[in-house]
Amino acid sequence: MTTTTTSQIHEADVLIIGAGGAGLRAAIEAAAQGARVAVICKSLLGKAHTIVAEGGIAAAVGSVDPRDNWKVHFHDTMQGGKFVNNWRMAQLHAQESPEEIRNLELWGALFDRTEKGGVMQRLFGGHTYKRLVHVGDRTGLELIRTLQDKAVAERIQVFMETTITKLLKHDGKICGAAGYVRETGRFIVFKAPAVVIAAGGSGRIYSVTSNSWEGTADGQALAFRAGAELMDMEFIQFHPTGMVWPHSVRGILVTESVRGEGGHLTNSLGERFMERYDKERMELSTRDVVARAIYTEVKEGRGSPHGGAYLSIAHLPADFVKRKLPSMHEQFLAFAKVDITKEPMEVYPTTHYHMGGIRVDGDSTATNVPGLFAAGESAAGLHGANRLGGNSLSDLLVFGARAGRYAAQYALGAEHITPSAEEIALAEHEAQAPFEATGENPFALQEEMQNMMMSEVGVYRVEEKLKNALNQIRDLQERAANVRATGSVMYNPVWHTALDVKNMALIAETIAQSAHLRTESRGAHSRVDFPNYDANLQKGNMVARYDGQNVTVAFVEQPPMPQELHDLTYNKPEVAAAA
Amino acid sequence: MSETVTSTQVHGGGATADQIVSVDSATNQHIQVRINRGEAGEIEGRWEEFTVPLAKGMVVLDTVLWVQAHQANDLAARWNCKAAKCGSCSAEINGKPRLMCKTRVEDFNLAEPILIQPLQTFKRIKDLVTDVSWNYRINATIKPFTPRQDREWKWFQHDADRAQEMRKCIECFLCQDVCHVLRYQTEEKPQFAGPRYFVRTAGLDFHPMDGAERLEQLADEHGLGLCNITYCCSEVCPEHIAITHNAIIPEKERVVDEFHDPVKKFIRKIQKKK
C-alpha cells in the first residue's frame, strides 16, 4: 500500500478544471474580472484535445461572404441540431463568436487571409455561407497556442499533469476540489467557491474514436457525482471521416475541410453515393447524415478494401491540396503511406464529439449546483442533436468567456469555505482505493467497455441492444469499483485508468439510458426501431440525474422560443439574411 | 435527402467494418521492444525487453501502450492525440529523437529489438516521462505579442506566411532534446533558450501586427549566439519547420545588423530623431 503525503490546500476564487480552449478562455476572462484563477491541466499545457480540431472556427464575420450574419448562423445551428438545441445558447453563440475571432487576433492569432486582407473563411457541412475562420488544417493548434500565450502573459497559475478526482461541497454549494499530481502522486486540495468544468468529452468510452486518452468523461462525471444534471447524453457525434487503415491509427480524424475544399466520397463501385442520401448538399451534408451514409455503404457491401468509403481530393491541383490541407497530407503519408494528392483516402465514422454533457443555464453557464459552471464539450445545449463542424471552437470561445465571467462574478461575491477535513480524507481515500483493491486490470475492463459501447450504443441503436448494453454497463460498474492499481503512486497510468473507468462506466449508463428513452431518430441518434422524428420529443431534452446510487433519466421540455428566434429557426437562410 | 433509417440498412448480416479491419491487420509475428525504465532522476535506467504482437502499420507508441495494458501496467509514458498533432509522445527511438506516434514499426529491421528511451536532455520523472518544465519557464520569459498601434488592422497572406511556419510548432521539444548546447543533464541549463524558443520568438517577430522588440532578449538572456548552426534541430522537427534556416539565421542576422552594429545603431538613433 502506498500513501500520498499530506495534502496541500491551494486557494483561488475560480478553479478551472481543463486547459483546452474553453478552460483557457474561461481563465483569461475570469482573470480579467479580477478573480484569482487556478487552472487544472490533465496533461502538459498546450496538449489539450482542442489541438486536434482542424477545419476552423465558425463565426459569421462575413469576411468572405458579406451576406452572412448571426441570424443565418443561428438558423444553421438550429437546423443542424435538429431543433432540440438550447436556443438561447444558439443565439448567444451566433451573436458573440465574431467578437471572439477579433479577440484571438488581438492576442496574436494568425488566420489565413483573403485577397482583401481579411480573415479567410471556408465552407463546412450545414453552414449556409463560407464561415469557418481557419489556418490551413491546424486551426485548433492556433487557437490553443494563442490562448496559452495569453494565459502565460497574464501569469495565470496552471497546475500541469494534475487530475481532479472529486468536487468538494459545503451546504450544497461548491467549496473546492481534490485530486492528485501525476508526477509525485501527491494529493492536492483546492479551496474555491466557483469551479468551471471545461474538461472535454467522453469519446474514449468507445473503441473507435478521434479522442485522445483524456476524453474519458471525467468532467461530466465530476459534475454528475456532485449533483449536477447531465443532458442530451444520447447525442454522440460520429464524425463521418476517421482514418480506417492502418488499424493502429483507426479513428484518427480526417478533417471535414477535405470535403469543404472539394473532396468527393465514393464507394467501391465508383459512385458518389451521397447523391442517394442528400442530393442537394452531397458531401457537405451534416455530419450525422454523412456518417450514416458511409456506414450504410460499407454495410451493404460497397466498402473499400479495409471497410470504409473512398474520400478523394486528388482531382484538385497538388499545390492547392498541400497548401490547404498540409497536415492531412502529412498524416496520410506518415501513417498510411498514401499520397492524398494522388490517391484516395479510406474513411469510416469515428466517435468524435459529445453534444450532450452538463446541463447549464444558457447565459451564465451555471449548473444546478451553486458555484459550479461548465463550458465547452463538457457542457450540453448549444449543438442539440448534431453539431455543425466549426461550431465547437466557437462554442468554447463564447461559452468559455461566459463561464469565466459569471464564475468570477459569483466567486467575488461568495463566501470562501475551507473544505472539511473529513471530506478531504474521504476524497483521498476514494482516490487511493485502487491500490487496495483486488479486482481486475482496468485496461482490460476499459477495452471491454469500449468494444461493447461501440457495438451496442454506436451509430445505430435498437431497443434490444440498448437493453443489453444497460445490463452490461451495470456489470462493468460493479467490476470497475474494484479494479486494481499496481506499482507506486508516481506517474502511474494504471492508477489513472482505474479511476477513469469508474467515470466512464457511470457516464456510459447515462448515454445508454437516454438513448433508450429517446424513441425516435434525430440527428446523431439513430434508432432502427424508431426511424422517424417524434414531434413530442422535439420539445425538449433527456435530463439525467444521479443520487449517488442510481441514474435516472427523464424528458424535460424546453421553454418556448421567442417568436423572432422561432421564425429564424424554421425559415430559409436567404429569408433570415434579409431579415 | 434521407433523414430516416430503415432496418435493412443496419441488419445486413455481413461482417462489420470492425471485423474486416481486425482480420486484415492481424499478423502471426511478434517483435521485441526494449524500453528504458527508471525512477525519478535516474540517468542510466534499466532496459526491459517485451514481446509485442505485430499488427500491420503499427507505430512505436502502440507497442508502448500494449506493454502498458498487458505486461507492465505502471509503465509511464506521455501521449495525447496519437495523431502527431500534440507533440506529447517524444522519445528517443533507436537513439533518434522522434514522436512515438509517428514512427512506424515496419520502418525498422524487425529482427532486432526496437530501443525506446526517454529524451536524454531532460531529467527523468519516471520511465519514458521527463521533466520538461524548464521549457515552460523559458517560454514565460519571452515578450508576449504586442499589437502595433501605428497601422491599420489588415494584412495579407504573404505577410502571414513566415510567421505561420513558426506557429506550426507542436512543442514536442525534440529540437531542444537534440540541441548540443542543451544536451546534457545539469542542475542548470546554460543561458540559452533553445531552438523551440527561437522559433516562438521568430513567430512573434514575423507577425505583421507585432510591435515588440525582442533583439536584446535574444542576444543576451536567450543566448542566440551560442547556436552554431548545425541544423540538428531542423532535422528532427516533425512539423518540418526550417528552424535553422527560417528562424535562427534570420534572427541572428537581425541581431548582428540591428543590435550589435554600433554604426547602424547610431544612424538609427539619429533617423529616429528626425
Side-chain angles (χ1 to χ4, degrees), chain A residues 13 29-36 408 412:
Chain A
D13 297 316
E29 194 64 24
Q33 300 281 325
R36 292 171 303 158
L412 294 173

Side-chain angles (χ1 to χ4, degrees), chain A residues 161 213 248 330-331 335, chain B residues 78-79 82 85 102 104:
Chain A
E161 297 195 313
W213 74 273
S248 81
E330 175 81 11
Q331 180 173 311
F335 293 138
Chain B
R78 264 197 196 108
W79 69 284
K82 203 175 177 288
K85 291 190 170 62
K102 207 182 175 183
R104 281 166 65 110

